[in-house]
Amino acid sequence: MMSLIELNDVNVTFATEVLRSVKLSIPARGIYALIGPAASGKSVLLRVIAGLIAPRKGRVMLGGDEVTGADELKLATLRRKVGMLFQNYALFDHMSVGENIAFPLKRLFDLPAEEIRTRVAERLERVALPGFEQRMPAGLSGGQKKRVGIARASVTKPPVLLYDEPTAGLDPVTSQKIYDLIRDEQRAEASTVVAISSDVRGLLTIADRVGMVHNGEIIFDGTVAEARATSHPAVRQFIDGRTEGPL
């Protein structure tokens, strides 16, 4: 099984140690679910993969290229391979929906205006928001904002997509629609998705593999079936709320 993302002995320290000796291999062309308690280091781990946070020690590899220690020029090139949906949408309030989605294209590529408009329209069609180009973020529902965020993260068609709490604050029906959209997009583009969600049950409906972060360490890495069957008490309790017996 080919790995696209490799972390080896990664440590991140702010006021305290956030990630410690993280070793993780994420296969290409699938959905990898990162689960774990609040403040366990999941979001920091996503930002390390994206090259937004530099670890104190360890190596991060992305598609055979080393992220750690890369200068700004190389980082800029590597970041073209990654799209990211932030937990709080991170939409620009002063920009229309179309302008928000077009932002990565304008920042990273030198494309004709007509091609940018075509790509934005195609993304909006894919996320079931056709014709929303002129809408402003303030007039969107939470689910619509998430869809716009997914459209913006994926508009450059990067091989890696990182989703930080893609269904936070959404009702169960809307949440499942977002998960289904993520799965459909991943299959259509053969991309590699790494997603965090506190809605573990929903996330595992689309995941191929799952890793659990606990106190800054990876305590489990395996298939969803293996996660459901594990005897590891912390993993079992987090996934199913049970402390005894097999799942």
Side-chain angles (χ1 to χ4, degrees):
M1 183 168 49
M2 184 178 71
S3 295
L4 185 67
I5 301 166
E6 297 272 355
L7 290 87
N8 187 24
D9 196 28
V10 167
N11 285 56
V12 173
T13 302
F14 299 134
T16 59
E17 195 171 43
V18 179
L19 296 176
R20 58 176 65 87
S21 301
V22 169
K23 184 175 183 180
L24 185 61
S25 180
I26 298 178
R29 300 183 181 89
I31 297 179
Y32 192 94
L34 270 178
I35 64 172
S40 60
K42 304 185 299 298
S43 291
V44 171
L45 186 49
L46 274 195
R47 284 158 175 76
V48 167
I49 293 171
L52 300 175
I53 293 176
R56 180 172 60 84
K57 73 172 206 174
R59 297 181 72 200
V60 180
M61 304 293 293
L62 180 61
D65 294 311
E66 186 166 1
V67 178
T68 41
D71 59 28
E72 281 303 315
L73 184 60
K74 185 175 181 182
L75 275 177
T77 300
L78 291 173
R79 285 171 184 153
R80 293 187 181 191
K81 299 180 179 181
V82 179
M84 187 162 185
L85 174 70
F86 294 92
Q87 183 175 348
N88 62 351
Y89 316 122
L91 300 179
F92 299 112
D93 291 337
H94 65 285
M95 291 184 181
S96 68
V97 165
E99 290 169 335
N100 265 283
I101 297 172
F103 182 78
L105 291 173
K106 293 179 177 179
R107 183 171 62 91
L108 297 173
F109 301 96
D110 183 18
L111 297 174
E114 184 58 35
E115 184 172 349
I116 290 175
R117 284 193 293 271
T118 298
R119 290 200 188 189
V120 169
E122 185 270 337
R123 285 292 89 194
L124 283 170
E125 190 75 35
R126 286 287 301 161
V127 300
L129 294 175
F132 270 57
E133 283 91 341
Q134 300 307 315
R135 300 281 191 96
M136 298 302 290
L140 303 179
S141 68
Q144 288 171 337
K145 288 180 180 178
K146 289 290 187 182
R147 288 175 179 271
V148 172
I150 290 172
R152 185 176 66 179
S154 62
V155 71
T156 63
K157 298 187 182 296
V160 176
L161 283 158
L162 309 176
Y163 293 118
D164 192 349
E165 294 287 356
T167 63
L170 302 181
D171 63 81
V173 173
T174 304
S175 293
Q176 193 58 54
K177 288 180 179 178
I178 294 295
Y179 287 131
D180 292 343
L181 173 61
I182 290 171
R183 169 54 90 183
D184 290 345
E185 280 289 288
Q186 185 276 321
R187 286 176 173 167
E189 301 298 335
S191 56
T192 302
V193 171
V194 185
I196 292 171
S197 180
S198 52
D199 175 16
V200 175
R201 290 179 184 271
L203 181 57
L204 294 188
T205 65
I206 64 166
D208 300 298
R209 294 184 66 84
V210 57
M212 182 164 172
V213 187
H214 190 267
N215 291 330
E217 300 180 35
I218 299 291
I219 63 170
F220 178 85
D221 172 37
T223 66
V224 173
E226 289 168 343
R228 295 188 188 282
T230 185
S231 60
H232 193 297
V235 180
R236 187 171 64 233
Q237 184 174 22
F238 194 77
I239 289 178
D240 203 50
R242 297 168 58 182
T243 56
E244 295 181 359
L247 296 182

